[in-house]
Amino acid sequence: MSQSAVLKHIEKILNNMGNSVHISTTGNFTNSENGDISIEIKPINISSSFNEFLLPIPKPQNKIDIDTNTYSINRVRISTSMIDDYSKKYPYSDGDILEIILHKEFLFGWYNPIA
């Protein structure tokens, strides 16, 4: 459940940044070798910038987002150490989450669903 707490915190900060989103997981996730968990979420759109800062481009990027002011995302990658901190009741500050959103490469991604 700690990954839910992390996602809810990211959702809160995205909404504080002027987005109107609700992050809802699909239940699918993938563990990566570098210690991150890639969590599949229902698709949402977020602004590509905040206070003149450009957010890192989602990796991979949805092709329809090129030359737009929004990013479509359906994956959020968070570290297992971050999940562990939340499970031990040591959540990150709002400022820390904002910094992660503004600077972490590969935080968000778009994967085309398999038809």
Side-chain angles (χ1 to χ4, degrees):
M1 293 313 279
S2 296
Q3 73 184 26
S4 295
V6 174
L7 291 174
K8 289 299 172 198
H9 202 171
I10 291 171
E11 174 185 285
K12 173 188 166 190
I13 301 305
L14 285 172
N15 287 326
N16 289 347
M17 294 168 67
N19 296 282
S20 180
V21 297
H22 174 69
I23 295 178
S24 180
T25 66
T26 65
N28 296 326
F29 65 92
T30 305
N31 292 314
S32 68
E33 293 176 12
N34 68 351
D36 286 349
I37 295 178
S38 178
I39 302 166
E40 183 179 8
I41 62 170
K42 293 181 181 175
I44 60 173
N45 291 318
I46 61 171
S47 177
S48 61
S49 64
F50 175 69
N51 286 347
E52 300 185 23
F53 286 98
L54 285 175
L55 275 64
I57 296 171
K59 307 276 196 247
Q61 182 179 17
N62 189 343
K63 288 182 175 40
I64 66 170
D65 290 342
I66 297 172
D67 297 325
T68 68
N69 294 326
T70 61
Y71 295 142
S72 303
I73 59 172
N74 65 357
R75 287 278 175 175
V76 180
R77 294 178 202 88
I78 52 180
S79 70
T80 53
S81 63
M82 185 179 196
I83 294 169
D84 189 48
D85 287 343
Y86 276 72
S87 71
K88 293 176 180 173
K89 307 292 186 219
Y90 296 113
Y92 287 29
S93 70
D94 289 355
D96 289 339
I97 295 296
L98 178 61
E99 287 298 312
I100 289 168
I101 291 169
L102 292 175
H103 302 291
K104 183 179 180 195
E105 294 286 331
F106 298 100
L107 175 63
F108 300 121
W110 177 266
Y111 290 87
N112 289 323
I114 297 173

